[in-house]
Amino acid sequence: MSISNNKQNNNAPIGFVDSGVGGLTVLEKVRKILPCEDFIYYGDTIHTPYGDKTKEQLLEYTDEIFNFFEKKGCKAVVMACNTTSSTIYDDIKNKYNFEIYPIVQSAAIILSQLPIKRLGVFATHGTIKSQSYPREIAKYNKNMEVFGQYCPDWVHIVENSLINDEKSIKIVENDLKTMMKNNPEKIVLGCTHYPFLLGVLTKFAPKEMFIDPAVDFAEFIKKDLTDKRLINNSTTEGIGEFYVSANPSLFRTSAELFYKLNKEPQLLTFNNSSKTVLVG
Ligand code: DGL
């Protein structure tokens, strides 16, 4: 029996995955330049935040979700999550029957070309610990100093629609103050949840200071799909399906700033979804 190859079916959907609503900041940009693509979005909200999970846990969750994408016949999957791109991409990159696009590795190519010497990165604990941004950027540019800062509360603020609370604004302001002490010329929002906080960040620093890597990431995905002749040849708007592993109604509310869902996402969990062990 021959195994069908999803990578050859240009009209198959594209999968998007993140721990929650963060990946919508990537989906939004991909939809703008590839509006005819069908897509399937999975927000693993039962396991949010990914930034505090072990590598073994992230491998387990991702394997379940990628098997689901494989069953759905996806031609490509976008790792719209810096944490999994940073910690497990190398372990899984050849394991599945579709193209895999990790945000950090793709964004680093473009970031390395910035005409600056000092680049700050706001990201999750997992991404900072992995050193993925300095490592990936150094592959293309050894003259840029890349320094990271972990923002422990930001994913919680975004997932729970607390963006405009006074307490949240203070937290973001303080984290930004700490970052500014290192004199970055630009700051990368190295977690896909963080663009939700741009409105708060720009109260305290100019908009030009911040880089959302998803803009170039979306262009990278479009170019690669084009080179591989994997662009959907339909001329009508693509159809999307949304799934979460917990709290569909909260997901819909928190998503609003980036993506207006016309109904709640479907609840979909896998066998091991109840195993959540936090790093001690
Ligand atoms: N949005 C993800 C990232 O880019 C995961 C954030 C989290 O769940 O900690 O890293």
Side-chain angles (χ1 to χ4, degrees):
M1 192 178 76
S2 72
I3 298 167
S4 74
N5 190 350
N6 299 346
K7 282 188 192 177
Q8 285 164 7
N9 180 3
N10 64 306
N11 289 333
I14 303 174
F16 288 78
V17 59
D18 180 48
S19 65
V21 295
L24 297 172
T25 65
V26 179
L27 176 66
E28 184 233 6
K29 277 137 202 130
V30 173
R31 293 279 292 155
K32 261 190 200 145
I33 57 173
L34 289 170
C36 301
E37 295 294 333
D38 293 337
F39 66 89
I40 300 169
Y41 186 96
Y42 192 89
D44 193 9
T45 41
I46 202 168
H47 296 127
T48 308
Y50 270 8
D52 297 341
K53 299 296 187 295
T54 62
K55 181 172 176 175
E56 290 67 35
Q57 286 173 308
L58 294 175
L59 280 169
E60 179 190 309
Y61 309 153
T62 302
D63 189 49
E64 289 173 326
I65 299 164
F66 278 29
N67 285 334
F68 164 67
F69 283 142
E70 222 162 36
K71 282 192 199 118
K72 289 289 232 173
C74 289
K75 63 184 174 192
V77 168
V78 176
M79 293 177 85
C81 171
N82 290 261
T83 309
T84 48
S85 300
S86 299
T87 53
I88 62 167
Y89 172 65
D90 283 339
D91 297 87
I92 61 163
K93 62 185 175 194
N94 298 317
K95 225 180 136 188
Y96 301 92
N97 187 18
F98 39 63
E99 301 294 334
I100 301 178
Y101 296 112
I103 185 164
V104 178
Q105 290 78 349
S106 316
I109 302 170
I110 318 278
L111 292 172
S112 67
Q113 293 164 17
L114 289 170
I116 60 169
K117 291 262 177 281
R118 296 180 62 72
L119 180 68
V121 180
F122 277 138
T124 66
H125 188 217
T127 300
I128 299 295
K129 207 173 57 179
S130 76
Q131 293 280 317
S132 59
Y133 271 95
R135 192 183 56 240
E136 290 299 320
I137 289 173
K139 285 185 186 167
Y140 312 98
N141 180 354
K142 302 229 178 312
N143 297 319
M144 195 186 286
E145 193 182 335
V146 182
F147 44 91
Q149 186 181 321
Y150 160 43
C151 308
D153 305 301
W154 292 18
V155 169
H156 176 81
I157 290 171
V158 172
E159 281 297 320
N160 292 284
S161 270
L162 302 171
I163 293 171
N164 295 313
D165 281 22
E166 225 171 282
K167 202 173 147 207
S168 308
I169 295 172
K170 200 76 216 154
I171 289 171
V172 174
E173 183 186 9
N174 284 339
D175 286 337
L176 181 59
K177 266 191 195 149
T178 308
M179 169 62 89
M180 294 311 269
K181 285 183 193 149
N182 288 312
N183 294 319
E185 289 168 72
K186 298 268 182 200
I187 303 169
V188 180
L189 302 177
C191 166
T192 54
H193 281 75
Y194 297 176
F196 277 88
L197 291 164
L198 253 178
V200 182
L201 287 162
T202 51
K203 286 185 203 288
F204 308 108
K207 194 165 183 271
E208 301 69 51
M209 188 73 185
F210 304 101
I211 300 172
D212 176 355
V215 179
D216 292 321
F217 184 37
E219 291 292 348
F220 178 91
I221 293 165
K222 182 177 178 181
K223 180 171 182 319
D224 198 71
L225 289 175
T226 308
D227 291 348
K228 292 183 169 132
R229 297 178 192 281
L230 274 174
I231 295 284
N232 193 315
N233 50 24
S234 154
T235 49
T236 54
E237 197 182 331
I239 296 164
E241 291 174 23
F242 288 89
Y243 297 87
V244 291
S245 48
N247 301 324
S249 136
L250 179 61
F251 180 94
R252 189 179 176 201
T253 311
S254 305
E256 195 141 293
L257 196 63
F258 265 87
Y259 214 100
K260 295 216 186 318
L261 275 76
N262 51 18
K263 59 177 189 310
E264 279 185 10
Q266 298 178 59
L267 192 60
L268 175 69
T269 54
F270 306 105
N271 288 341
N272 291 319
S273 290
S274 52
K275 285 191 217 157
T276 43
V277 187
L278 284 169
V279 183

